[in-house]
Amino acid sequence: MYFYGEVKMNFINGKTKPLAIIGYPVGHSLSPLMHNIFFQFLGLNNVYIPLEIKPGHLQAAIEALWTLGFMGANITIPYKEEVIPLLPEISSEAELIGAVNTLVRKENGFRGHNTDGQGFLKALSIEKGWEPHGKKVVILGAGGSARAIGISLALKGAHKITIINRNLLRARGITEIVEKQIGVHGEIFGWNNPMLERVIREGDIIINTTPLGMNPNINEIPPLDTKWLSPSQLLVDLIYNPLETRLMKEAKAQGCQVSNGLGMLIYQGVLSFKLWTGQEPPLENIRETLEKYLNKV
Ligand code: NAP
């Protein structure tokens, strides 16, 4: 740690070890801001940069990261699945989820991990005191994040995983793993299923993993009647821009506890950071800092 005038900072020098986020696009990502704050605060000689990699160039990018001495990386949309065959080893959870969001440098190449589902669970545990054991879970959407969250919840003892999605085959892909490989009951429904009301009313937690309601489409909302929600339920929207979605507002009006996606974003990052550095990052002001940044951009 050095001073530049009055400002205390780590300078990049000849010994700085780089990390990166790889995706397409990556311009919206909050991870560079968050991880560089963590490195600065802890006085670690690292820097974290965004690398936008055009489709067709992922293999070259991973090889380049290795050659250039990168300590690790995050992998984001659309490469979380495509990166798997490029890695010599991945964790058992990443294997079950079928996606990798974190690379850690080892002797013979990068090891792949998935911290998305665990990050989601850690955020709810720390910020809401919510634990998955024995809970009935309803997930809206069946994409990459639904998969990571559904499988992680099942691994942590959720009672039932219900997926509501347009594409039922995609939903079935998640419940098959949950049932056959973890032994937790799974159900799938389309949005027009007449049982939808019962399913939503029965859920202990409702998790929106669709992009409906995300900036700039802030008036959109998943196609369910929010009058079905009740005060005993927790409603989580993975969206964090806006910080409060229309779904969250309507759920709050029904008396639900609500949470946005910033917690998941922060804690998946915390878990990646620990894999890279073995250290616990400082979290006192991080949520407020990211909220302020989002309110400005
Ligand atoms: P994804 O793989 O593209 O999946 C999106 C899902 O939403 C799909 O199941 C899709 O249904 C459904 N969907 C999309 N448009 C829809 C519509 N008009 N009506 C009904 N369903 C619709 O995306 P993802 O990676 O899972 O990300 C999903 C959301 O989570 C995004 O908003 C993303 O920003 C957010 N996210 C947040 C975090 C965080 O840290 N907070 C992390 C990851 C993702 P079909 O299968 O039927 O097409």
Side-chain angles (χ1 to χ4, degrees):
M1 205 58 94
Y2 304 91
F3 281 91
Y4 181 71
E6 295 292 304
V7 185
K8 200 169 153 197
M9 58 192 300
N10 304 317
F11 292 119
I12 292 179
N13 60 26
K15 292 185 181 150
T16 304
K17 290 268 178 273
L19 295 101
I21 179 163
I22 284 195
Y24 187 79
V26 290
H28 63 282
S29 175
L30 295 178
S31 296
L33 174 65
M34 181 168 72
H35 286 295
N36 285 315
I37 289 173
F38 293 161
F39 289 134
Q40 285 283 336
F41 193 92
L42 291 174
L44 298 177
N45 197 355
N46 296 103
V47 64
Y48 183 107
I49 57 170
L51 294 176
E52 190 159 275
I53 304 300
K54 293 215 168 89
H57 297 277
L58 182 63
Q59 183 168 355
I62 300 296
E63 286 169 5
L65 283 190
W66 179 257
T67 309
L68 295 170
F70 277 66
M71 240 177 88
N74 281 128
I75 305 291
T76 189
I77 289 173
Y79 298 128
K80 290 185 185 183
E81 290 97 25
E82 197 182 327
V83 74
I84 291 177
L86 305 174
L87 305 173
E89 51 175 314
I90 66 172
S91 71
S92 52
E93 189 159 359
E95 179 127 31
L96 213 49
I97 293 168
V100 156
N101 78 331
T102 305
L103 305 186
V104 181
R105 191 179 186 91
K106 297 281 174 195
E107 295 265 298
N108 59 338
F110 291 113
R111 178 173 160 83
H113 296 260
N114 192 312
T115 65
D116 283 334
Q118 289 301 324
F120 173 86
L121 289 175
K122 205 166 159 77
L124 287 191
S125 176
I126 290 174
E127 295 181 350
K128 297 283 176 197
W130 189 91
E131 301 298 335
H133 193 81
K135 298 291 189 340
K136 291 183 193 140
V137 175
V138 178
I139 301 179
L140 315 177
S145 47
R147 208 176 155 89
I149 288 170
I151 289 169
S152 300
L153 281 161
L155 286 170
K156 291 284 181 207
H159 174 68
K160 183 163 76 173
I161 307 290
T162 302
I163 313 269
I164 300 167
N165 201 41
R166 291 181 305 200
N167 179 337
L168 291 178
L169 267 180
R170 243 177 147 188
R172 173 56 68 207
I174 302 175
T175 54
E176 266 185 15
I177 293 176
V178 159
E179 293 200 315
K180 291 187 186 152
Q181 301 203 40
I182 311 176
V184 170
H185 184 48
E187 290 179 334
I188 61 167
F189 294 92
W191 290 104
N192 295 325
N193 193 304
M195 310 261 276
L196 202 63
E197 178 174 353
R198 173 189 66 75
V199 168
I200 298 282
R201 283 189 188 280
E202 271 182 15
D204 294 308
I205 182 168
I206 319 291
I207 307 160
N208 177 38
T209 74
T210 77
L212 294 164
M214 187 157 65
N215 207 2
N217 304 312
I218 57 169
N219 289 322
E220 287 186 354
I221 185 164
L224 57 90
D225 188 340
T226 47
K227 294 270 176 331
W228 301 338
L229 299 171
S230 60
S232 64
Q233 295 176 310
L234 172 60
L235 180 292
V236 185
D237 201 325
L238 292 202
I239 294 170
Y240 49 78
N241 188 6
L243 291 164
E244 190 172 69
T245 60
R246 181 173 159 201
L247 178 62
M248 287 168 65
K249 281 188 190 129
E250 293 193 13
K252 244 171 150 177
Q254 292 300 114
C256 294
Q257 266 203 87
V258 300
S259 184
N260 67 19
L262 262 192
M264 174 176 171
L265 176 88
I266 292 168
Y267 284 97
Q268 61 75 33
V270 167
L271 295 172
S272 298
F273 189 88
K274 278 164 95 172
L275 286 168
W276 296 322
T277 65
Q279 297 203 39
E280 198 73 53
L283 293 176
E284 294 74 27
N285 300 313
I286 197 69
R287 178 177 268 275
E288 295 70 20
T289 305
L290 296 180
E291 283 177 2
K292 268 190 206 153
Y293 176 82
L294 282 169
N295 281 329
K296 273 195 207 140
V297 287

